[in-house]
């Protein structure tokens, strides 16, 4: 899927929000500046977040809870993790009981993390547009794309 501008990238997030459920994991992979946070911002805005969501690059985990959003979401940026073992300290698996996870830089979690995740990958095209590809598990078949 070609995303020509920021609005198109954020619209992907809004589409994801329409089918998002507690226990879902969406991973966002791509180089710096590819639009991972923009997709997350579109999702959070569609869930009712007023204002722009900050990038969780420094906090690593940015939680959003009721009533600021209609479904609790943990926006996670694993870029600063040095090793996958640090992931256990974040308590993300416990959050899945009542929240959804949106995870940037999922490769830092190691292989096999979140096997049922909707995996989105962004690439930057030569003209500056973004190319979105995905792997959708069975749980997402009727919700995406």
């Amino acid at each position: 899927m070609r995303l020509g501008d920021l609005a198109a990238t954020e619209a992907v997030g809004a589409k994801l929000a329409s089918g998002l459920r507690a226990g879902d994991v969406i991973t966002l992979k791509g180089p710096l500046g590819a639009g991972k946070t923009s997709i997350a911002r579109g999702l959070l805005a569609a869930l009712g977040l007023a204002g722009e969501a900050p990038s969780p690059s420094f906090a690593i985990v940015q939680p959003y809870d009721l009533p600021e959003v209609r479904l609790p979401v943990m926006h996670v940026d694993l870029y600063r993790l040095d090793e996958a073992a640090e992931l256990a300290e974040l308590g993300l698996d416990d959050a899945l009981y009542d929240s959804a996870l949106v995870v940037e830089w999922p490769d830092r979690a190691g292989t096999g993390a979140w096997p049922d995740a909707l995996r989105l990958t962004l690439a930057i095209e030569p003209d500056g547009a973004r190319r979105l590809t995905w792997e959708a598990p069975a749980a997402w078949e009727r919700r995406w794309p």
Side-chain angles (χ1 to χ4, degrees), residues 68-128:
E68 67 182 333
V69 289
R70 70 174 186 267
L71 172 72
V73 174
M74 305 285 278
H75 183 190
V76 183
D77 186 329
L78 300 179
Y79 184 76
R80 296 188 318 123
L81 256 59
D82 292 322
E83 55 186 55
E86 295 176 74
L87 191 65
E89 298 173 23
L90 301 177
L92 300 178
D93 288 338
D94 292 337
L96 287 173
Y97 290 108
D98 64 358
S99 302
L101 298 181
V102 177
V103 183
E104 298 184 36
W105 299 96
D107 52 320
R108 304 283 175 127
T111 58
W114 307 296
D116 295 324
L118 173 62
R119 299 180 188 288
L120 305 181
T121 301
L122 289 153
I124 303 172
E125 298 281 298
D127 66 356

Side-chain angles (χ1 to χ4, degrees), residues 7-22:
T9 305
E10 289 177 345
V12 167
K15 179 173 175 35
L16 289 166
S18 68
L20 194 66
R21 302 174 187 155

